[in-house]
Amino acid sequence: MFKNYLKVAFRNLWKNKGFSFINIVGLAVGMASAVLILLWIQNEVSYDDFHEKRDRIYELWNRAEFSGEVHSWNTTPKVAAAAMQRDYPEVEHACRVDWTGRLLFSVGDKRLMIRGNIVDSVFLQVFSYPLLKGDPKTALMDNHSVVVTQSLAKKLFGNEDAMGKVVRIDNKENYTVTGVLKDLPNNTRFDFEYLLPWAHLRKEGNDDIWWGNNSTRTYVLLRSNSTLASIAPKVKGMKTRYDSTEKKWEMFLYPMSRWRLYSDFKGAVEDGGRITFVRLFAIIASFILLIACINFMNLSTARSEKRAKEVGIRKVVGAPRSGLIGQFIGESVLLSFLAALVALGIVVISLPGFNALTEKHLHVPFGSVWFWLSGVLFILFTGLLAGSYPAFFLSSFQPVKVLKGTFRAANALVTPRKVLVVLQFTFAIILIICTMIVTQQINYARDREVGYDRANMMYHFMTGDIGKNYKLIKQELLSSGVATSVCRTNSPWTQRYSDTWGFVWRGKDPNDKTDFIRECADEGVVATTGVKLAQGRDLDLEHYPTDSLGILLNESAVKAMHFKDAIGQEIKDDDVAFHVVGVIKDFIIESPYTPIRPMVIVGAKQSWYSVLNVRFNTKNSTETNLKKAEAIFRRYNPQYPFEYQLVDEEYSRKFDDEKRIGTLAGLFAALTIFISCLGLFGLATYMAENRVKEIGVRKVLGASVTGITALLSKDFLQLVGVSFLVAAPIAWFAMYKWLQDYPYRVNIQWWVFALAAGLSLTIALVTVSFQAIRAGMANPARSLRSE
């Protein structure tokens, strides 16, 4: 019997090649889309799963109130780790992790700028990054030790054994390789190629014991017999115990299992995070697969009259209904298997592009037994989902009506087939509307006034001898005509490195906890960055030597300090008295989607610098300026590569996440429309075949091609119209909720919905009209010659 069913299934597939092709392609695209999304979801939910002690690992967080609002964040004082280890017996290890940026690694003639972390010696005992060589307990004990990944070891030493080899770091001191780590997986929080002991930070003068400096991340490993509940009340008051000035400051431990997906806080409580995208992607994957299955359901039930006699004969000769259901579900599973083979090919081909789009390193785990087992279950699930309704529908035919020829498919106002078509296009229209609104939001923020001139400006981190030779570099950049202005700051002009609530001014409320962005600059910052002065002047040490104690405020800072006339006002920072020399107009330094925060630019007296900023001379091309600048930097900093950043390119990267969301939404919308249109095309083809004699009669009676096309297209366009009426409020609500996360946001416009309606109707019309016009142009003599 099984052999007979299999033979019939292949004959049906071969006999109806067009419908088989539509079903297989539709299912394959749907399955491939679902597999890609599931690979992404699996990568997200498995973040840091490989750590053996992950159930006992926590991150130390702060929670405090500023300007009437509660904030939670995960940078802590450097001294907190020692306090955790010393004060709480529940703690097995406390470990700090500090991001160092990129340091110069030199081995012989090789010089590489490498990113990494500075950590406490117990880091490899807390986190389970596998060491290929070395001992995790001792690898970071020596002050001149360094642990490298296997990729970095190969870059530095080729195929030689890296253990015990010497590396010169930042052209200052030699370090010995005491461990080689297996390359990090792509689903871990940390991203480094080397680990240096905490002593390196101390040598650079960047360690401190001040409880007011929240600048590093602290991780805690609890003992196996301890619980979060037992230590949480003690940790809560740790900050106030060591810093008596902070009465309403709390600290808490945040479990590793929630870092990746849940760590967005609104006030004192979790408020989503990446879990929102995981859930959204899961819904999208489910709907795309469902839409592909709906095609199979619709085409199978639409062709019910073609197989009605087969069902009738099988029932007459004694086939039970359960046997027929098994036959039809078996056919759908077979089709699902063939589609899965095609889908696997699509996944392999499209995975590099999908990785580039999502900035992941996903791969198909062909060597995993679980992958193949999951694949079989996925095929069976898809086959059952796609074939269940057609199987029960076809097996329900009564043999008497079928064999008498009185059986006809229902043509009711509401049928399951129509409901399924509406469901398909509802989801497609929702994605079309969402794509357009996301694109609007990106453009809205991108067109927002930035407040400074980001064109023709570059910055370079002050690596190596740049700090020592800064005056010479600046002078040559200006004298050579490369630059019109040069200045130093503590962070790139598109980023915030520091903020504080410690400024003191005349009339300040003792309870005022306004958090100010704290920028540092020497002189010429207005001229170099192109920010606009609202009052006063730029910092200028050449003409005003006292500007080392000068300060610039933005307009938001003036409002926060309640100054009527800010110029000349005294502001203290760590008991150092500064005076305001200028007020600049507000500009965007953080997210273009959020309000501009109060900002203070402190003069040279209290400054530390990490960035050299250059305003290019517009008389030269950017290429010429960069070429000349590179020669100057290499002359005064010969051991380091010239690694510049253009500010306009850096600023554009602020939109990457939203662009990615918009691109993915557009891609999913296109796939959904493609699959839906495949099904619509198949239904239109079958409808035209089924009504061929009716069309012939109408043509004989004088019906035009246009009239017949309209007749055949009308029903489908009505279904798309109903889909729009269902999709519009759902899409509006979804986008309204999404936009609430952006204080600076676009208003949802009516024309977006009108355009989506017109676009979906046009796509449906084009899909259906091809078959409708073809049917309308057919010679009626051929369809009526047997009458």
Side-chain angles (χ1 to χ4, degrees):
M1 185 61 71
F2 174 76
K3 184 178 179 181
N4 176 260
Y5 284 164
L6 191 63
K7 190 181 294 184
V8 170
F10 274 112
R11 282 175 179 171
N12 274 315
L13 287 174
W14 187 252
K15 182 181 178 182
N16 302 284
K17 299 182 187 69
F19 288 99
S20 299
F21 175 80
I22 290 173
N23 272 330
I24 290 173
V25 170
L27 269 180
V29 172
M31 292 171 82
S33 303
V35 168
L36 287 172
I37 295 172
L38 289 173
L39 285 173
W40 183 89
I41 291 173
Q42 189 274 335
N43 181 270
E44 287 289 325
V45 299
S46 64
Y47 249 70
D48 287 313
D49 263 359
F50 59 90
H51 294 294
E52 297 171 5
K53 305 168 187 173
R54 70 187 306 270
D55 294 337
R56 296 192 282 135
I57 298 174
Y58 296 83
E59 185 176 36
L60 186 63
W61 279 58
N62 285 301
R63 182 187 294 133
E65 185 178 311
F66 300 101
S67 305
E69 293 184 6
V70 176
H71 296 267
S72 301
W73 71 100
N74 63 345
T75 51
T76 57
K78 294 183 178 74
V79 71
M84 291 290 299
Q85 188 80 62
R86 180 180 61 247
D87 297 347
Y88 307 116
E90 296 90 344
V91 174
E92 183 174 333
H93 292 301
C95 171
R96 295 165 292 185
V97 176
D98 197 89
W99 178 74
T100 62
R102 288 153 62 84
L103 298 181
L104 180 69
F105 276 55
S106 303
V107 176
D109 294 332
K110 291 181 182 176
R111 288 182 173 81
L112 302 173
M113 295 296 290
I114 308 296
R115 69 185 184 281
N117 292 138
I118 297 177
V119 298
D120 280 312
S121 60
V122 295
F123 178 85
L124 293 174
Q125 297 175 62
V126 175
F127 299 99
S128 308
Y129 292 107
L131 272 171
L132 300 176
K133 295 180 180 179
D135 184 346
K137 293 182 179 179
T138 60
L140 291 164
M141 291 294 289
D142 190 274
N143 289 349
H144 287 84
S145 60
V146 60
V147 174
V148 298
T149 62
Q150 61 187 117
S151 293
L152 179 56
K154 190 170 182 63
K155 290 178 192 175
L156 294 172
F157 306 108
N159 295 322
E160 295 180 28
D161 185 1
M163 287 294 289
K165 292 286 197 301
V166 175
V167 179
R168 192 162 184 80
I169 296 180
D170 252 11
N171 214 33
K172 294 177 182 177
E173 292 187 272
N174 293 333
Y175 286 75
T176 302
V177 176
T178 53
V180 178
L181 283 168
K182 185 178 179 181
D183 285 339
L184 273 58
N186 59 36
N187 56 344
T188 180
R189 159 178 280 203
F190 299 104
D191 181 21
F192 58 82
E193 291 188 84
Y194 66 82
L195 295 172
L196 284 172
W198 195 260
H200 180 84
L201 198 73
R202 199 174 297 120
K203 288 177 191 173
E204 296 294 314
N206 293 324
D207 196 13
D208 63 76
I209 56 171
W210 181 39
W211 278 90
N213 181 14
N214 295 283
S215 59
T216 195
R217 293 188 177 184
T218 303
Y219 300 96
V220 173
L221 176 67
L222 296 185
R223 297 187 185 278
S224 56
N225 60 350
S226 300
T227 63
L228 178 62
S230 66
I231 192 175
K234 303 176 186 178
V235 173
K236 186 176 181 180
M238 184 169 69
K239 170 76 172 182
T240 54
R241 188 164 63 254
Y242 284 100
D243 185 353
S244 58
T245 62
E246 302 295 347
K247 301 299 183 185
K248 296 182 179 180
W249 195 297
E250 297 178 357
M251 302 188 87
F252 64 97
L253 294 175
Y254 195 56
M256 185 181 222
S257 59
R258 308 198 63 87
W259 293 354
R260 177 66 178 178
L261 300 179
Y262 300 94
S263 58
D264 279 3
F265 278 78
K266 189 173 184 179
V269 297
E270 286 180 342
D271 187 40
R274 292 186 70 85
I275 189 63
T276 303
F277 292 104
V278 169
R279 290 168 179 160
L280 178 63
F281 272 45
I283 291 170
I284 289 173
S286 302
F287 270 98
I288 290 178
L289 186 61
L290 179 61
I291 285 169
C293 292
I294 285 172
N295 276 355
F296 182 87
M297 297 177 190
N298 279 340
L299 292 175
S300 297
T301 56
R303 295 175 59 247
S304 56
E305 290 184 41
K306 297 284 187 182
R307 302 196 66 179
K309 287 186 179 180
E310 177 194 339
V311 172
I313 291 170
R314 285 187 182 277
K315 281 194 170 185
V316 166
V317 298
R321 188 181 182 192
S322 59
L324 292 171
I325 290 172
Q327 176 194 347
F328 292 127
I329 286 181
E331 288 181 12
S332 70
V333 171
L334 172 63
L335 196 81
S336 178
F337 173 74
L338 296 175
L341 296 178
V342 178
L344 191 59
I346 294 173
V347 168
V348 171
I349 292 169
S350 58
L351 196 55
F354 188 72
N355 279 335
L357 180 60
T358 58
E359 293 189 342
K360 294 278 190 182
H361 301 286
L362 307 176
H363 65 281
V364 181
F366 289 111
S368 169
V369 175
W370 287 107
F371 170 75
W372 293 109
L373 181 60
S374 301
V376 171
L377 294 174
F378 184 64
I379 291 169
L380 289 174
F381 172 77
T382 305
L384 288 170
L385 181 65
S388 55
Y389 171 63
F392 283 98
F393 178 78
L394 291 171
S395 65
S396 67
F397 294 165
Q398 297 179 18
V400 175
K401 290 183 178 180
V402 169
L403 298 177
K404 276 186 175 182
T406 58
F407 167 79
R408 289 290 182 273
N411 192 27
L413 179 64
V414 178
T415 64
R417 194 184 312 151
K418 290 179 180 179
V419 171
L420 292 174
V421 170
V422 167
L423 184 61
Q424 277 185 313
F425 272 89
T426 295
F427 187 60
I429 293 168
I430 288 172
L431 286 176
I432 290 172
I433 293 171
C434 292
T435 301
M436 288 194 287
I437 292 175
V438 169
T439 303
Q440 272 190 301
Q441 173 67 3
I442 293 170
N443 293 336
Y444 186 66
R446 191 163 49 199
D447 294 340
R448 183 182 179 187
E449 176 60 40
V450 180
Y452 65 94
D453 184 8
R454 61 184 190 270
N456 299 304
M457 180 180 169
M458 84 153 215
Y459 71 86
H460 194 291
F461 286 106
M462 298 187 68
T463 54
D465 294 333
I466 291 178
K468 182 176 69 176
N469 295 324
Y470 168 69
K471 289 185 178 179
L472 294 172
I473 294 171
K474 177 179 178 179
Q475 181 181 352
E476 193 157 342
L477 286 169
L478 293 171
S479 63
S480 65
V482 170
T484 58
S485 183
V486 178
C487 76
R488 293 176 295 181
T489 54
N490 71 313
S491 69
W493 210 240
T494 55
Q495 300 175 40
R496 170 188 61 83
Y497 277 10
S498 178
D499 59 309
T500 181
W501 55 91
F503 288 118
V504 179
W505 61 91
R506 187 181 295 109
K508 179 182 179 180
D509 186 335
N511 298 316
D512 190 330
K513 284 284 185 122
T514 301
D515 194 32
F516 293 86
I517 296 174
R518 188 184 190 280
E519 183 64 74
C520 304
D522 54 356
E523 60 178 342
V525 65
V526 172
T528 305
T529 62
V531 293
K532 298 171 184 176
L533 276 170
Q535 191 180 0
R537 57 177 176 78
D538 197 354
L539 292 169
D540 185 353
L541 291 171
E542 183 178 349
H543 297 96
Y544 304 94
T546 57
D547 274 6
S548 61
L549 290 170
I551 267 185
L552 297 175
L553 305 178
N554 72 350
E555 292 171 318
S556 293
V558 173
K559 291 176 185 176
M561 294 177 176
H562 306 291
F563 289 150
K564 292 183 179 178
D565 183 9
I567 303 301
Q569 294 283 352
E570 184 179 91
I571 298 173
K572 288 186 177 180
D573 181 23
D574 288 341
D575 294 326
V576 178
F578 290 82
H579 58 279
V580 179
V581 301
V583 176
I584 58 175
K585 293 188 175 182
D586 285 345
F587 69 95
I588 299 171
I589 193 171
E590 295 183 290
S591 169
Y593 301 103
T594 58
I596 294 172
R597 291 171 54 195
M599 179 179 184
V600 176
I601 302 175
V602 180
K605 182 73 174 180
Q606 196 81 343
S607 292
W608 56 274
Y609 305 116
S610 64
V611 175
L612 187 154
N613 303 280
V614 179
R615 167 66 55 188
F616 281 143
N617 188 342
T618 55
K619 293 180 180 178
N620 308 321
S621 67
T622 301
E623 185 179 355
T624 300
N625 284 328
L626 285 172
K627 191 173 181 180
K628 290 182 178 180
E630 180 178 7
I632 294 169
F633 274 82
R634 288 193 181 279
R635 186 176 306 120
Y636 294 104
N637 195 32
Q639 301 298 323
Y640 286 74
F642 178 61
E643 294 187 328
Y644 67 91
Q645 293 289 335
L646 296 175
V647 172
D648 54 352
E649 292 180 359
E650 184 89 359
Y651 183 81
S652 69
R653 284 194 276 273
K654 292 179 181 288
F655 302 93
D656 284 352
D657 286 344
E658 285 70 25
K659 284 180 182 177
R660 194 172 297 114
I661 293 170
T663 303
L664 287 170
L667 176 63
F668 295 146
L671 288 171
T672 305
I673 291 167
F674 172 74
I675 297 169
S676 301
C677 287
L678 269 180
L680 208 59
F681 182 82
L683 287 175
T685 302
Y686 183 76
M687 176 194 65
E689 290 178 0
N690 215 33
R691 299 176 69 177
V692 65
K693 289 187 179 180
E694 176 194 342
I695 294 168
V697 172
R698 287 182 180 276
K699 288 200 71 175
V700 168
L701 294 176
S704 64
V705 174
T706 304
I708 291 172
T709 302
L711 174 72
L712 297 179
S713 305
K714 179 182 65 175
D715 290 343
F716 291 109
L717 295 182
Q718 286 175 346
L719 294 178
V720 175
V722 172
S723 300
F724 172 77
L725 294 178
V726 176
I730 296 173
W732 178 88
F733 180 75
M735 285 292 94
Y736 174 79
K737 295 293 288 182
W738 179 71
L739 287 170
Q740 297 312 300
D741 291 335
Y742 299 93
Y744 188 83
R745 57 181 176 265
V746 70
N747 293 319
I748 299 176
Q749 304 289 332
W750 66 268
W751 61 263
V752 172
F753 298 89
L755 181 59
L759 188 61
S760 55
L761 286 169
T762 301
I763 291 170
L765 182 61
V766 170
T767 303
V768 173
S769 61
F770 175 78
Q771 284 297 337
I773 292 170
R774 185 180 174 190
M777 294 179 66
N779 187 348
R782 291 188 176 182
S783 58
L784 299 176
R785 60 187 173 186
S786 61
E787 298 298 321

